[in-house]
């Protein structure tokens, strides 16, 4: 049987027809044009579904959407990216397509997709940490999405790792996000370069600070540049401490890394694994959490959305 | 209908007959004598249940037990307090009493009791933090116990709040427990007294450092002693940051404080509430988490255990 998965973003809406094995049968994309009234955006999404699924049978529709979502009511309570407040997204799509619709937070939905059909497919309990502009978190507990009360939880990026540390955009100081996002990594790379004018990182970016990104420090650390190694070591230690916090609370069998920084793959996960192995609660006799890299890439959103209704 | 709740501790086992309103109908207590073989301890518990329930009808038995518990299998995987490893506790009690038995971790069970019948009874999503020798955590999500994979999670005391901070017994540094347990509070009280020989805290303990406890700093802070205020302020700030971490992940409607330090009641909860109100994720428009003091006291264990099978 087939299912439709929709990944609503501030710029684009991705729609895919997904089979029960989590494989994409057919996909499409449309511009969100989110400055319009919600009703027009929803109309376009429903039309997109109808067009994509012509000639196909499918069971139901799952949607991942950024912001605070009341999954049970099918309502987007608040989504700054879309300029939405209390939008009945599930009902809107269901009325136009005649199919049952479930909605949930986009980061959570991606975690479900990665767990059911990606890196986490042999596990029931996982955490997906997305190392991007911010730090996104999604949790699967006993095969189901864990979202906290009214789907408002799992803001792991905004748990404090260093009391009274670096100011976070959320208002608190020392959040995990300000040490483990790609943004944090770039900030620390720039600091390190200002301090060490002889670092290899200057050549790596062609002496153009605008070309520094989340890969700069990792690339030079792999070549043993001392300043780059310092940046990467501190980044990995903070990320590992955050992962250990997740593990203490959830005891996830696997922690899966997504987002730009996860592209460092084994160089990153091997070091994290070692740190976590040495320090996990309960010691060596207790469950070992495996650190993995996400596999579904940009498709995690639509596949995860479809898996909401499987 | 009645239910039996059992709270297994390293020293005593408490057994209570509890009605569907969470009221104790009758209770008893016996010595654990935990150095004996598990089979003898279990035999005594079952005999205690049979004796207590003579002349009463009851439905089933719930048990709270310290350590790592596989609730589904009914097995105590590891309990240092009882010197148990892989003990089939549920089966043992069930065979002798002829009743269905469910077991779970004692801190988690107390959280369930406080939520269903104590301070949290108007909420579906709560966290219970026990401020005692250590920092215990229990979570109720959508009316049910949240325990993490194989009931091994919710070790909130061992999430790091200050990376590279004070050494914790678990091996990590800067855990929430080393700043927010009663033990931490006493440690900081002693430090402050050594630094300030004029502090009112010296008189309060009759100049006997052995008489310093978790109440010393609070008692003198209430009388505006500067050093005591510093200790209490730092304690409250760390606890509030830890509560905010819990709220970011779980979005609990209420955080309930138990254990010795929670005896400070409104003096403690009012300050925590103010701090949390000002900093919770999503700001003033988002769900307000209420900070409460536990109500069931020493009965939370048996009532919570009984509520496992209601």
């Amino acid at each position: 049987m087939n299912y439709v998965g929709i990944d609503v973003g501030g710029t684009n809406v991705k729609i895919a027809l997904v089979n029960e094995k989590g494989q994409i049968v057919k996909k499409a994309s449309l511009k969100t044009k989110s400055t319009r009234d919600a009703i027009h955006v929803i109309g376009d999404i429903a039309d997109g579904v109808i067009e994509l699924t012509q000639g196909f049978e499918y069971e139901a529709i799952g949607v991942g959407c950024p912001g605070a979502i009341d999954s049970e009511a099918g309502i987007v309570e608040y989504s700054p990216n879309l300029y939405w407040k209390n939008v009945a997204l599930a009902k809107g799509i269901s009325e136009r397509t005649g199919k049952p619709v479930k909605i949930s937070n986009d980061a959570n939905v991606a975690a479900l997709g990665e767990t059911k059909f990606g890196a986490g497919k042999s596990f029931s309990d996982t955490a997906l940490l997305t190392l991007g502009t911010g730090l996104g978190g999604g949790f699967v507990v006993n095969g189901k999405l864990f979202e906290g009360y009214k789907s408002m939880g799992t803001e792991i990026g905004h748990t404090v790792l260093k009391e009274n540390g670096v100011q976070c955009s959320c208002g608190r100081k020392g959040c995990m996000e300000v040490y483990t996002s790609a943004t944090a990594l770039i900030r620390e790379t720039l600091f390190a370069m200002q301090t060490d004018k002889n670092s290899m990182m200057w050549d790596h970016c062609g002496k153009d600070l605008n070309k520094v990104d989340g890969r700069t420090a990792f690339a030079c650390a792999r070549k043993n540049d001392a300043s780059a190694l310092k940046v990467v070591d501190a980044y990995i230690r903070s990320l590992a401490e955050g992962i250990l916090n997740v593990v203490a609370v959830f005891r996830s069998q696997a922690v899966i890394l997504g987002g730009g920084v996860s592209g460092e793959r084994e160089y990153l996960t091997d070091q994290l694994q070692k740190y976590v192995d040495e320090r996990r609660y309960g010691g060596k006799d207790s469950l070992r959490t495996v650190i993995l890299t996400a596999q579904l890439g940009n498709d995690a959103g639509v596949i995860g959305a479809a898996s909401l209704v499987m």
Side-chain angles (χ1 to χ4, degrees), chain A residues 133-150:
Chain A
T133 310
L135 176 76
F139 298 88
V140 175
V141 171
N142 205 9
K144 293 194 188 100
L145 261 187
F146 169 86
E147 305 190 285
Y149 181 64
K150 286 208 170 190

Side-chain angles (χ1 to χ4, degrees), chain A residues 16-170:
Chain A
L17 193 68
V18 178
N19 67 23
E20 75 278 1
K21 291 177 183 161
Q23 295 156 332
I24 293 179
V25 177
K26 199 178 162 194
K27 63 181 171 180
S29 172
L30 52 94
K31 294 276 165 215
T32 314
K33 295 182 214 153
S34 59
T35 48
R36 298 179 295 166
D37 234 32
I39 194 165
H40 300 300
V41 178
I42 294 172
D44 280 3
I45 293 174
D47 289 347
V49 171
I50 293 165
E51 206 186 305
L52 183 80
T53 54
Q54 277 204 346
F56 289 91
E57 294 276 312
Y58 72 100
E59 191 94 343
I61 301 169
V63 188
C65 186
I69 314 289
D70 186 338
S71 305
E72 230 164 278
I75 288 170
V76 180
E77 293 196 330
Y78 178 58
S79 180
N81 304 35
L82 300 168
Y83 314 105
W84 285 3
K85 215 165 183 174
N86 293 318
V87 169
L89 178 60
K91 195 174 163 219
I93 298 175
S94 184
E95 278 178 354
R96 294 279 288 264
T97 58
K99 295 285 182 178
V101 177
K102 271 195 189 171
I103 70 174
S104 202
N105 174 275
D106 56 349
N108 296 352
V109 154
L112 188 63
E114 268 302 335
T115 302
K116 282 198 169 171
F117 299 111
K121 65 185 164 198
S122 47
F123 303 109
S124 63
D125 288 65
T126 64
L128 177 71
L129 301 181
T130 307
L131 314 169
T133 310
L135 176 76
F139 298 88
V140 175
V141 171
N142 205 9
K144 293 194 188 100
L145 261 187
F146 169 86
E147 305 190 285
Y149 181 64
K150 286 208 170 190
S151 316
M152 290 188 294
T154 80
E155 288 292 349
I156 189 76
H158 299 288
T159 57
V160 161
L161 203 57
K162 298 191 193 184
E163 199 186 309
N164 229 359
V166 173
Q167 181 68 51
C168 180
S169 61
C170 79

